[in-house]
Amino acid sequence: MQQKIISFSLFFIGGIIIGMHFPLPHNALAYCGGTALALIVLSLMLSANNQVFLPLFIISGLLAGWTNFSWRIDTTSPYHLIHYIDDVEFVDKTEVAGWIVKEPEIREFKTNVTLKPDYIRLDEKGKKIKISGGLVLMQLRPSMKWTYSKYQYGDYVVTRFVSLTGPAAANNPGVFDYQRFLRNNNIYGLMNIRKDYQLRLLTDQKYNNPVVDFALTLKKQLLWTIKKTMPHPESAFLGGILLGLRQGLSRTVQDEFRASGVAHVLAVSGLHVTIITALLFGLLTLFKVPRRFLAPPIIAGLIIFAIITGGRPSTLRAVIMNGIALISFCYLVSNLRTSLLFGISTAAMIILFFTPMILFEASFLYSFTAVLSLALLTGPLLRFFNKYLTSVHTMILFLLGCVLFGTMLVDTSLIFHDPPFALVLLFILFLVTYTFRKFFPRSFRFSRLPYWFISFTAAQGAIQLGLGPLNAFYFQKYSLAAPIANFLAIPLIGVNVQLGLIAGIFGFVPFIGDYLALVINASNWLAVKLFLGSASFFAHAIPYPDLTPPPMAFMLFYYGLLIFIAYQIPILDHIRIKKIEWKPYLSNNEVRKRLILASSFIILFLVSGLAGFYASQSKQLVVTAFDMSVFGMGGGSSQLVELPDERVILVDGGLSVVKKRGRAIDWNMGSMVLGRVLRGKRIRTLDWVVLTSPDAESSGGLAYIFESFYVKEFIDTLDFGPQDFSTDLDLDTFLNVLADDYFHKKFDSEIVQDCYTEYVSLIEAVTRKNIKRTVVQRGHKLYESQSNGSPLTVEVLHPPAERLKVFRTVTNNSLVLKITYGNFSCLIPAQITIDGEKSLLALGDALKADVMIAPFHGYKGSVLSAFVKAVDPELVVIQTLPSRYKKQEVESNERLYQKFGCRTLRTDLSGAIVIKSNGRDDFRVETMFKKQK
């Protein structure tokens, strides 16, 4: 039966994948659901009579998964929340009433509250509309004052004078899709609550769940005990690993955890649940509870623990798996591997039945891949170690090979320079081996080490093999410290969790409980301090490089290879049996000739098909105008130009710091947008990085780009002397080169200081990476070539040899770039305003372009009629932020462009805008989302 459920779960997941690409229409759901249920019942009846009809079994699983996914994402009901979402915040005011269905999640500057709507009223006098599907995420702000923290799980609340908006979709290729993430968790609406009068509590309609209420009361008491008996930040760490409350940890500590590869301890998962299962099992065994009575209280405790920690997929999976393992241990008899696979399959099917949309979310795949790797790969690795690591020399050679090969896969620069991490580690390993060589007998081998160490090493190797590519694919990062740091982290976390839980339990004892908890947590403090210290050490000692995400073909091949390794014995046995069965047929010469001929035709067909496909993909010029915002914050502009001969130009880098309500927020567009897009496109080398203006909104993100990518040449417009362009550049010299009277008068203003600071950071990165710097002016041809028989030119049209001395001198001396490919041309005028445009009019027909990026973000003072007529663009792309303060300026200029017969697209409405041309036919335009007609 277990094998059948494992197989059914695989087909169920296959059905979900089909549904993701081909969702069923609403009117077919009932029919398909009934058919799937009938087929499942029929399969069970046949199975009860020891009859298995495989096609029926497969179809029932596929249809069940397909129907379930289509049903969960179905929003056709007129009472679904999605039909009442406002397009723009601050416009429509919607009244929403409902229950808080999750414990509020406290963040640094907000509290997230999940609301299940009861009804919606579109205006104060309108009728109440009952809502049948979709949740609302309310973000409570500290400006609510004393009411900010009074709302709890189960409360019935009503909003007033608040916009109900939809979450932002991915606005640039390859970046995090917040809308998809929330919708995968059934959240369709967002509400920002900034004032206390916008939210009120109705006490007579409170939602009660005794089990959840008990669990959350227990959580508060445990947290209170932790805070009383352990100082900060150790108490925040203990609250994170024990209660799932990671918000108390500083950003620095969380970054160190990620860099050292131990951040998984903060995501309450299988490790924590297994530790608590072992603790409860030990306590019940200590009190001599009979074996048949062990499972119910432990499973009840695990359910309470899952509620306390927020019921995340990793926790639910671990609770279900441990529960099944306990039932198998107490009441059934089955081998460990089958029990593990049965538990994993059942847990996956239960979670995906309720939330099938999370199948390809990082948290879900990460959790299940870790356990599957542990179950399937630990054994093969253990056999490999015992067979081949037969001496100290082979062990050291194996370690050296792992370090060298792993580093080459991650980043070859780490081997020889910047810094030579791999060579240093290889030297240390060699030195340790040579120093202690006499302490190891000749007969020493890996299999003679303690069994717990052998098993632990194999298990760690299995997990790293399973999760490595997922780290690169989802996070574009990989911690080289993880394999080493986890050898210390996992034993320590067992001590931290168990002592913390015991101290929390003692905290319930009247009068003396706090003192007992204090004694236990005093010793636990040392273990927590050691954990935090080791994470910090490994984070700073070993690199945490950025990675280009592997292609899907590689992922399929890699995990296919791991499955083969896990099942190699039965696979090879099956091949040997089939070889014996087919031997009489294969010995026939005629049959062999036919097989060879058929194989040759298949290979020839595949090769010619692939060759024809790649030949048909004509090389194109691709210009991407980014939406330089993340969650509505950001600034500046940036364009990526991919030439048809595979050379790449990056123009500007956006801001690195955002000012919001008096706070400076680290919001680097270089890392948050440009870096992710470039790695998503598998671009590691930039032929040119162009800085159009020294403004902070152009230069801010470029320092990160210089540090993280290989840049061949940096294009600048500021003509410093060779000695001045250095990290010692002083403010006076900088201002003299800018020659802007406003900057001289306001030298101590925030805008000037930001401009100077960002440019110095850029100089430091260029100098450290030894990047070639070229100063250009009007008439400079950055690149000239032929591609696909069409001329390809990248030329600089501005600034002139003598810098303009006009209003806004800095912006009006911005670099203007024109890219021409065959019959197509694109003009990038950067930050220039009317005075800069007047200077460009002298170029005449050289200004003409099919596409123009609107100067100065389309703001006031950037549209000169004569300039627009001279360029005569078919399309104007306006790179602007979704700001209500600049909205009227942008809309006014958009109408002006349209009066001149230009089509317009705005990044605040359409997301990133991609223009493609083959140099011959009309250009094509693609946008990230369709808000703009």
Side-chain angles (χ1 to χ4, degrees):
M1 187 64 181
Q2 289 180 340
Q3 293 286 358
K4 291 171 185 173
I5 291 176
I6 293 170
S7 302
F8 182 82
S9 68
L10 293 175
F11 298 133
F12 184 80
I13 291 171
I16 291 174
I17 294 171
I18 294 171
M20 287 178 172
H21 294 89
F22 309 102
L24 293 168
H26 174 75
N27 53 11
L29 289 177
Y31 173 76
C32 292
T35 305
L37 185 61
L39 291 174
I40 291 169
V41 171
L42 185 58
S43 298
L44 290 173
M45 291 172 62
L46 290 171
S47 180
N49 295 321
N50 295 322
Q51 297 176 4
V52 179
F53 185 50
L54 188 59
L56 187 69
F57 191 67
I58 294 172
I59 292 169
S60 64
L62 291 174
L63 191 57
W66 190 1
T67 306
N68 181 60
F69 179 85
S70 303
W71 170 49
R72 295 290 180 183
I73 65 164
D74 181 37
T75 59
T76 55
S77 167
Y79 303 108
H80 193 281
L81 183 71
I82 198 171
H83 301 297
Y84 303 95
I85 301 296
D86 302 333
D87 288 333
V88 184
E89 195 177 3
F90 312 114
V91 177
D92 298 319
K93 307 301 179 185
T94 308
E95 179 181 307
V96 179
W99 295 272
I100 298 175
V101 292
K102 288 184 180 179
E103 184 188 20
E105 184 182 351
I106 300 170
R107 299 288 183 90
E108 188 176 2
F109 295 107
K110 65 181 177 181
T111 295
N112 287 336
V113 175
T114 304
L115 188 75
K116 180 182 179 182
D118 177 25
Y119 71 83
I120 279 181
R121 183 152 44 192
L122 300 179
D123 56 69
E124 287 191 65
K125 297 181 180 179
K127 66 175 183 177
K128 296 178 180 179
I129 304 169
K130 285 285 185 180
I131 298 299
S132 63
L135 302 175
V136 175
L137 180 66
M138 295 193 304
Q139 297 179 331
L140 312 187
R141 305 292 176 174
S143 54
M144 294 176 67
K145 298 181 181 176
W146 68 273
T147 62
Y148 175 59
S149 58
K150 80 171 187 177
Y151 300 98
Q152 302 296 330
Y153 165 81
D155 287 348
Y156 188 91
V157 295
V158 181
T159 67
R160 296 181 66 213
F161 308 115
V162 188
S163 297
L164 175 64
T165 59
N171 56 348
N172 289 292
V175 302
F176 176 65
D177 193 335
Y178 189 51
Q179 183 183 85
R180 178 182 293 179
F181 172 75
L182 289 184
R183 288 189 176 182
N184 286 348
N185 292 278
N186 199 32
I187 295 172
Y188 286 82
L190 290 177
M191 302 188 89
N192 275 298
I193 314 294
R194 294 181 172 86
K195 302 294 181 182
D196 54 358
Y197 66 81
Q198 293 179 316
L199 189 65
R200 58 193 176 94
L201 176 67
L202 300 184
T203 55
D204 58 334
Q205 298 192 53
K206 185 177 175 68
Y207 173 77
N208 288 309
N209 185 318
V211 177
V212 176
D213 289 341
F214 171 75
L216 296 181
T217 303
L218 189 64
K219 179 177 184 175
K220 289 177 184 176
Q221 182 60 41
L222 289 171
L223 181 60
W224 181 236
T225 300
I226 290 170
K227 286 182 175 180
K228 286 191 293 184
T229 58
M230 189 172 284
H232 187 83
E234 290 78 19
S235 59
F237 171 72
L238 192 59
I241 62 172
L242 198 59
L243 306 175
L245 299 172
R246 69 180 79 178
Q247 296 83 18
L249 287 169
S250 68
R251 183 171 178 178
T252 301
V253 172
Q254 293 191 46
D255 287 343
E256 287 177 347
F257 275 34
R258 280 188 282 270
S260 59
V262 297
H264 61 89
V265 303
L266 297 175
V268 179
S269 59
L271 177 64
H272 306 69
V273 173
T274 303
I275 290 168
I276 289 175
T277 303
L279 178 62
L280 295 175
F281 185 87
L283 289 172
L284 292 174
T285 305
L286 186 65
F287 288 104
K288 301 190 182 300
V289 175
R291 179 170 172 170
R292 64 182 181 276
F293 296 127
L294 287 174
I298 295 176
I299 292 173
L302 294 181
I303 292 171
I304 297 294
F305 179 71
I307 296 170
I308 285 174
T309 54
R312 295 181 179 88
S314 57
T315 315
L316 296 176
R317 184 265 307 155
V319 167
I320 294 168
M321 280 187 52
N322 277 269
I324 290 170
L326 279 167
I327 292 168
S328 298
F329 173 76
C330 296
Y331 308 114
L332 305 174
V333 178
S334 61
N335 70 64
L336 180 61
R337 181 161 167 160
T338 303
S339 293
L340 273 172
L341 292 176
F342 175 62
I344 294 168
S345 304
T346 307
M349 201 156 47
I350 292 172
I351 293 170
L352 290 175
F353 175 77
F354 292 102
T355 52
M357 301 80 72
I358 68 170
L359 175 59
F360 289 113
E361 271 193 16
S363 59
F364 181 85
L365 284 180
Y366 217 73
S367 172
F368 279 88
T369 302
V371 182
L372 278 170
S373 301
L374 194 65
L376 298 177
L377 296 176
T378 302
L381 277 180
L382 204 54
R383 290 192 294 272
F384 174 84
F385 291 159
N386 289 335
K387 184 175 181 180
Y388 293 105
L389 304 186
T390 55
S391 67
V392 177
H393 300 293
T394 55
M395 288 186 222
I396 297 300
L397 281 173
F398 177 73
L399 283 174
L400 295 178
C402 288
V403 170
L404 196 60
F405 183 68
T407 309
M408 286 176 64
L409 282 177
V410 171
D411 189 351
T412 52
S413 68
L414 295 172
I415 298 175
F416 301 109
H417 63 279
D418 197 27
F421 157 73
L423 292 182
V424 171
L425 192 55
L426 292 174
F427 177 74
I428 292 171
L429 285 172
F430 175 78
L431 190 64
V432 169
T433 307
Y434 183 79
T435 305
F436 295 98
R437 68 189 186 283
K438 295 181 180 179
F439 291 90
F440 298 102
R442 290 186 177 180
S443 59
F444 182 80
R445 54 192 300 141
F446 186 80
S447 58
R448 293 192 176 182
L449 290 169
Y451 183 73
W452 66 266
F453 180 81
I454 296 172
S455 303
F456 185 67
T457 303
Q460 281 302 301
I463 291 171
Q464 294 302 323
L465 281 174
L467 296 183
L470 285 181
N471 271 313
F473 189 80
Y474 282 103
F475 307 115
Q476 300 183 357
K477 288 272 192 182
Y478 182 72
S479 171
L480 292 170
I484 306 169
N486 279 286
F487 267 89
L488 184 61
I490 290 177
L492 275 176
I493 206 70
V495 174
N496 298 149
V497 169
Q498 294 195 59
L499 287 180
L501 187 59
I502 292 169
I505 292 170
F506 275 124
F508 288 95
V509 178
F511 306 114
I512 62 169
D514 287 344
Y515 300 101
L516 294 172
L518 180 62
V519 171
I520 295 168
N521 270 342
S523 57
N524 199 14
W525 177 84
L526 292 172
V528 171
K529 198 74 176 173
L530 179 59
F531 191 105
L532 293 173
S534 63
S536 179
F537 169 77
F538 285 117
H540 293 96
I542 300 177
Y544 182 42
D546 296 313
L547 294 179
T548 301
M552 186 56 67
F554 172 82
M555 298 289 284
L556 293 172
F557 171 78
Y558 179 85
Y559 284 105
L561 182 62
L562 289 189
I563 291 170
F564 173 77
I565 292 170
Y567 289 98
Q568 59 178 310
I569 295 175
I571 289 172
L572 293 175
D573 286 344
H574 183 75
I575 290 172
R576 278 192 289 269
I577 292 168
K578 289 298 178 184
K579 190 176 178 182
I580 293 169
E581 291 177 357
W582 293 346
K583 190 173 182 180
Y585 301 101
L586 295 175
S587 58
N588 188 312
N589 288 333
E590 188 63 28
V591 172
R592 277 211 305 268
K593 286 180 182 177
R594 289 180 180 177
L595 282 173
I596 292 169
L597 188 62
S599 303
S600 302
F601 272 118
I602 292 170
I603 292 169
L604 184 64
F605 174 77
L606 291 173
V607 170
S608 60
L610 287 171
F613 172 77
Y614 285 114
S616 66
Q617 304 297 304
S618 61
K619 294 180 179 179
Q620 294 183 317
L621 168 69
V622 181
V623 180
T624 304
F626 296 114
D627 179 2
M628 298 301 285
S629 67
V630 178
F631 301 135
M633 292 199 306
S637 62
S638 180
Q639 301 85 32
L640 180 69
V641 181
E642 299 169 77
L643 302 180
D645 56 3
E646 299 184 357
R647 286 175 169 81
V648 181
I649 307 170
L650 179 66
V651 182
D652 290 338
L655 286 170
S656 65
V657 175
V658 172
K659 305 292 195 312
K660 188 171 184 180
R661 296 187 179 93
R663 291 186 292 117
I665 304 172
D666 182 12
W667 211 252
N668 195 317
M669 294 293 101
S671 60
M672 299 179 77
V673 175
L674 303 181
R676 293 196 65 85
V677 172
L678 291 171
R679 282 189 288 272
K681 289 175 170 283
R682 295 181 179 83
I683 295 172
R684 294 294 299 174
T685 299
L686 295 167
D687 295 272
W688 297 276
V689 169
V690 178
L691 177 63
T692 62
S693 167
D695 278 335
E697 65 175 26
S698 298
S699 63
L702 289 185
Y704 172 84
I705 297 298
F706 289 131
E707 295 285 358
S708 304
F709 294 84
Y710 175 56
V711 178
K712 293 182 179 179
E713 189 174 0
F714 168 47
I715 304 299
D716 197 2
T717 58
L718 298 184
D719 192 9
F720 290 100
Q723 293 181 343
D724 291 329
F725 188 81
S726 70
T727 53
D728 297 326
L729 175 70
D730 59 82
L731 180 59
D732 288 337
T733 305
F734 180 67
L735 293 177
N736 288 334
V737 173
L738 292 184
D740 189 314
D741 291 339
Y742 175 83
F743 273 48
H744 273 286
K745 291 176 184 177
K746 301 286 186 179
F747 68 92
D748 57 348
S749 66
E750 189 176 65
I751 187 172
V752 175
Q753 290 296 322
D754 286 347
C755 181
Y756 169 68
T757 304
E758 295 291 3
Y759 196 81
V760 171
S761 298
L762 189 148
I763 291 174
E764 290 173 352
V766 170
T767 305
R768 185 163 48 250
K769 291 291 186 176
N770 196 26
I771 297 168
K772 178 185 175 183
R773 176 174 175 264
T774 303
V775 178
V776 298
Q777 59 188 26
R778 181 177 293 172
H780 180 92
K781 290 201 173 177
L782 199 63
Y783 184 65
E784 191 170 15
S785 181
Q786 289 277 329
S787 182
N788 295 329
S790 298
L792 173 63
T793 308
V794 181
E795 56 186 322
V796 177
L797 303 185
H798 196 72
E802 184 177 345
R803 288 175 67 83
L804 299 179
K805 292 185 179 180
V806 293
F807 177 63
R808 288 179 173 154
T809 299
V810 170
T811 56
N812 277 304
N813 282 285
S814 297
L815 187 150
V816 175
L817 209 62
K818 183 178 180 182
I819 303 105
T820 305
Y821 178 42
N823 300 326
F824 172 81
S825 56
C826 176
L827 186 68
I828 304 177
Q831 307 293 328
I832 63 170
T833 59
I834 288 176
D835 290 317
E837 292 169 13
K838 288 177 181 177
S839 171
L840 281 166
L841 289 175
L843 298 176
D845 289 342
L847 284 176
K848 286 195 176 295
D850 299 286
V851 175
M852 179 176 73
I853 309 296
F856 199 48
H857 311 294
Y859 294 160
K860 185 179 179 181
S862 64
V863 181
L864 180 67
S865 301
F867 178 73
V868 179
K869 290 177 181 177
V871 177
D872 191 24
E874 182 180 336
L875 172 67
V876 175
V877 174
I878 304 173
Q879 279 188 284
T880 186
L881 290 177
S883 168
R884 53 176 167 164
Y885 304 108
K886 292 286 186 179
K887 183 180 177 184
Q888 288 185 345
E889 290 183 23
V890 173
E891 288 179 345
S892 175
N893 282 343
E894 184 180 18
R895 287 191 292 271
L896 279 175
Y897 283 123
Q898 290 169 353
K899 277 185 180 179
F900 289 113
C902 307
R903 292 168 52 208
T904 58
L905 285 173
R906 287 164 44 189
T907 56
D908 61 325
L909 298 180
S910 298
I913 297 165
V914 182
I915 301 109
K916 297 180 179 180
S917 173
N918 59 13
R920 297 184 299 274
D921 308 318
D922 291 339
F923 63 89
R924 293 187 298 112
V925 180
E926 298 172 2
T927 60
M928 283 300 293
F929 38 84
K930 309 290 182 185
K931 280 189 179 179
Q932 195 170 9
K933 293 182 181 178

